[in-house]
Amino acid sequence: MAKHPSRFFIPRKGEHYETGINGKKVLVVGASFYCNKYDCPSFGDCTSRDKKDSSHYNTTCPEYAKQGAELRKEPRYAIDEKYQAYQRFEKLMREVVNSDVENIWEYVAFTNYVQFFVPTINTYKTYLSDRDFEAFIETLVELQPDMVISWGMVTIDDVRTNNQYVIDKDKLPDSEWYICHLANIPGIEHVITLVCCFHPSSKDWNEDFERCADYLRQVILSK
C-alpha cells in the first residue's frame, strides 16, 4: 500500500465507488472533524492549533480505544453516525440523481480536508496548513475521482482559489462560481471536475439548495 506522508484521515470509499454515479467516480470533501471531549487529558495536545497533529493518539484516544476504533478512520464513523450535515447532503444527492439507491454513500468516497481533530465545531482558516493541501492531492491520486464536491467557504481558497491545478478560473462566473476543472496533477491523466458548494451545516445551505442541485445535476448526469 502506498504511504501518505501528509494524510492522516483514511477516506471512506463506498462499496460501489468504482461504479460511481452515472459512471463517474465522486469524491466528497468536507471541512474538518472536531472533538468535544474537553475533559480528556490529551484534548489540548490532540487538538492543538499549533501542532495540527492528532496522529499520536490514533489508537490511544480513550473515547475511541474503548470501542476498538482509530482516529484516522473517522471518515467511516462519521458516515455511519449519520450526522445532520451528512443527512442534508444525502438529500441533495437524491434530488440530483433522482434515484432509489438505498445508500448514496456507498457510491461515493468521503473525507474531510483538515488533517487533525479541531477543538471547535466551526472550522477556521487558522486550522489549515500546507499539509492539508498535500493530503488532498494525495487522495486525488489514490482515488482518481472524475469529480470532487467540496463543502464550505473556509477551505475554498486552498481547494480552488489558490490551487495551481485549476485550469479555468476565468470560466467560474459562467457557473456562478460552482464549477471549475483540475488538470496536470502528477499521477492523474484525466481532468477532474471540481464543484464547490456551501457546507451542509451552514445557514446558506437551504437557500442555495436548488441552485446547487442544478449545477451538480449538470455535471453528474452529463455524458
Side-chain angles (χ1 to χ4, degrees), residues 8 41 93 95 104 133 160 199 204:
F8 177 55
M93 292 300 289
E95 178 80 12
I104 200 76
F133 183 75
R160 189 185 71 189
H199 196 285
D204 299 297

Side-chain angles (χ1 to χ4, degrees), residues 66-77:
K66 66 185 180 184
Q67 303 174 57
E70 297 180 44
L71 296 182
R72 64 179 184 160
K73 295 180 180 179
E74 180 57 27
R76 179 196 306 175
Y77 310 142

Side-chain angles (χ1 to χ4, degrees), residues 67-213:
Q67 303 174 57
E70 297 180 44
L71 296 182
R72 64 179 184 160
K73 295 180 180 179
E74 180 57 27
R76 179 196 306 175
Y77 310 142
I79 299 300
D80 292 344
E81 290 291 332
K82 292 281 189 179
Y83 296 120
Q84 186 180 56
Y86 304 103
Q87 292 180 38
R88 288 180 173 179
F89 181 74
E90 185 173 356
K91 178 182 177 182
L92 172 69
M93 292 300 289
R94 290 189 181 282
E95 178 80 12
V96 169
V97 302
N98 192 25
S99 172
D100 294 327
V101 173
E102 183 176 349
N103 187 352
I104 200 76
W105 292 105
E106 293 305 325
Y107 290 83
V108 303
F110 168 76
T111 192
N112 268 335
Y113 187 77
V114 178
Q115 293 299 303
F116 75 104
F117 276 89
V118 303
T120 58
I121 191 169
N122 292 321
T123 307
Y124 298 103
K125 284 186 176 292
T126 54
Y127 297 163
L128 278 58
S129 67
D130 291 343
R131 173 195 181 185
D132 303 320
F133 183 75
E134 292 166 2
F136 174 61
I137 297 301
E138 289 168 9
T139 296
L140 296 184
V141 173
E142 178 187 332
L143 296 181
Q144 300 281 315
D146 297 299
M147 65 176 296
V148 174
I149 303 173
S150 177
W151 294 356
M153 299 298 105
V154 175
T155 62
I156 201 166
D157 283 344
D158 279 21
V159 172
R160 189 185 71 189
T161 308
N162 301 323
N163 188 338
Q164 63 182 310
Y165 300 114
V166 175
I167 58 174
D168 55 355
K169 291 178 184 177
D170 59 317
K171 301 294 185 183
L172 276 163
D174 296 344
S175 64
E176 299 180 87
W177 301 88
Y178 273 93
I179 301 170
C180 60
H181 298 86
L182 310 177
N184 306 313
I185 300 174
I188 301 177
E189 297 182 356
H190 61 277
V191 175
I192 298 173
T193 301
L194 172 64
V195 180
C196 294
C197 62
F198 288 110
H199 196 285
S201 64
S202 78
K203 60 183 177 57
D204 299 297
W205 178 258
N206 289 332
E207 181 179 340
D208 212 60
F209 185 93
E210 292 301 333
R211 180 162 41 192
C212 183

